[in-house]
Amino acid sequence: MSGRMEGGCQCGRVRYTVELAGDDAYLCHCRMCQKATGGVAAAFVNVPDAAAVIWQGEPHWYASSPIAERPFCAACGTPLGFRFKDGKGMDLTVGSFDDPSAFVPVAHAGAESLHAAWLDTTALPRQRSDETASVIEQWAKAGRSVP
Ligand SMILES: [Zn+2]
Ligand SMILES: [Zn+2]
């Protein structure tokens, strides 16, 4: 996969388009990424030149450390990425792309804070949202089917 990809926040206020040369992605396990995303790791796609990211609806940015800042949607809170303050490139969060399935992880960053128990979860039981009675019921109350 390569070419033009689109993404954005959960509420739709912030959207972006980016030209990508490949499908490489990576996980960052550092504590700042854990805090910034609320996840056990952050999944990122690196964009070598931040100018390749065209925003439609500008994100807000905050300093997550003295060396880095992160874009997010101030309305819904979606974490959208990362950049070093003096860097040329940036990262976009895999989950904010419209089609995250296009990407493949190729490396672990921030390995000093890696939670090994979360890495290989292949053997865990799986349950689909559209096969989960409580989820189906909640969506039905909202007059919708499970997305
Ligand atoms: Zn939003
Ligand atoms: Zn990190």
Side-chain angles (χ1 to χ4, degrees), residues 1-135:
M1 185 285 311
S2 64
R4 188 163 174 266
M5 297 285 290
E6 295 181 26
C9 69
Q10 191 167 32
C11 78
R13 191 185 70 81
V14 179
R15 297 284 304 164
Y16 61 78
T17 301
V18 62
E19 291 285 340
L20 295 171
D23 55 10
D24 285 3
Y26 73 99
L27 291 170
C28 186
H29 303 269
C30 85
R31 286 295 296 143
M32 286 163 282
C33 283
Q34 290 172 6
K35 287 285 189 181
T37 62
V40 291
F44 285 129
V45 175
N46 184 256
V47 183
D49 181 0
V53 181
I54 309 300
W55 298 101
Q56 297 108 19
E58 287 288 319
H60 283 70
W61 292 79
Y62 75 100
S64 56
S65 77
I67 63 168
E69 53 194 7
R70 298 174 190 254
F72 67 101
C73 175
C76 70
T78 300
L80 295 163
F82 169 94
R83 75 179 175 202
F84 287 115
K85 282 185 175 172
D86 66 354
K88 185 173 182 290
M90 69 170 296
D91 293 324
L92 291 166
T93 48
V94 170
S96 69
F97 278 86
D98 293 344
D99 182 13
S101 70
F103 301 104
V104 178
V106 297
H108 294 290
E112 69 283 356
S113 302
L114 185 154
H115 296 295
W118 292 83
L119 280 188
D120 184 1
T121 58
T122 310
L124 298 182
R126 298 182 185 203
Q127 188 166 3
R128 294 177 52 94
S129 299
D130 60 6
E131 294 169 351
T132 305
S134 59
V135 176

